[in-house]
Amino acid sequence: MRRGLAAGAILLAAMEPAGAQSFFERLFGVPPQPQPQVPAPQYRPAPRRAPAQPQPQPQRPSAPKEKEQKAEPAPPVEPPPAPYEKELLRLAEIMGSLALLRPLCAAPDGPEWQARMQALLDAEGTTPGRRERLAGAYNKGYQAYALTYRICTASAQEASNRYLREGETLARTISSRYGG
């Protein structure tokens, strides 16, 4: 009997595992099998030939020098950020959050937030880089809550109310401190 167990163990070791797929193979497919290594081709210089007679180069029509020297102008240098840039970006982020939360909770001012952000972009988006930063902050605020809330909940209403207060404070601070 002991001899039969040893022979059975050898037989099991010689068997290949079943073709079961792992979890990741089902998700991403079977990993590619390693390809046999093919030696890289060796560099061999071309055989030397007798020097050929130089052939005349065809003459290209010379282009006017204006075309060669004409280059696109450099993009305009963006001015330094305004002293209230940080607060303005935070305000844009708050507006993005409110653009999602207020309509979600059926607030009467829900549809206004997108138009308010457009007005902010028109007023403060003086350069393409600045417009992009402001729009990015708005999108960041919107997407942060779009991932969390699908329906109006008590916490969504509370977040909306807090953002209304913070946005109002920021808007007043910016306009009183820096004019507007």
Side-chain angles (χ1 to χ4, degrees):
M1 176 106 175
R2 192 170 188 77
R3 184 175 177 167
L5 284 175
I10 292 172
L11 181 62
L12 287 176
M15 291 176 55
E16 293 197 23
Q21 291 181 325
S22 73
F23 173 73
F24 293 106
E25 287 175 347
R26 284 189 306 237
L27 288 177
F28 302 109
V30 179
Q33 298 297 323
Q35 299 295 326
Q37 295 293 333
V38 177
Q42 298 289 327
Y43 173 75
R44 293 185 186 149
R48 295 209 178 241
R49 296 184 203 169
Q53 295 292 333
Q55 295 181 356
Q57 295 282 336
Q59 292 283 335
R60 287 191 287 177
S62 60
K65 296 206 178 216
E66 292 175 16
K67 288 184 180 179
E68 290 177 12
Q69 292 178 357
K70 219 179 219 185
E72 291 187 31
V77 176
E78 190 166 321
Y84 54 90
E85 185 80 12
K86 184 177 175 183
E87 290 93 353
L88 196 63
L89 290 174
R90 177 65 183 151
L91 184 61
E93 187 176 341
I94 289 170
M95 292 172 82
S97 298
L98 289 170
L100 178 90
L101 293 171
R102 298 299 283 175
L104 187 67
C105 292
D109 65 343
E112 295 176 18
W113 292 99
Q114 194 171 13
R116 290 179 184 185
M117 182 60 195
Q118 186 60 50
L120 180 67
L121 281 174
D122 293 342
E124 292 292 331
T126 54
T127 63
R130 191 159 190 210
R131 285 182 72 85
E132 190 173 316
R133 287 190 300 276
L134 286 169
Y138 175 87
N139 291 337
K140 178 183 172 188
Y142 188 94
Q143 291 169 353
Y145 283 97
L147 294 172
T148 308
Y149 293 105
R150 302 272 187 241
I151 60 170
C152 184
T153 62
S155 63
Q157 287 178 333
E158 179 62 28
S160 174
N161 291 333
R162 286 184 184 183
Y163 279 138
L164 283 172
R165 286 191 300 272
E166 184 182 355
E168 183 181 4
T169 303
L170 270 173
R172 282 188 182 158
T173 302
I174 292 170
S175 65
S176 67
R177 186 178 296 166
Y178 302 104

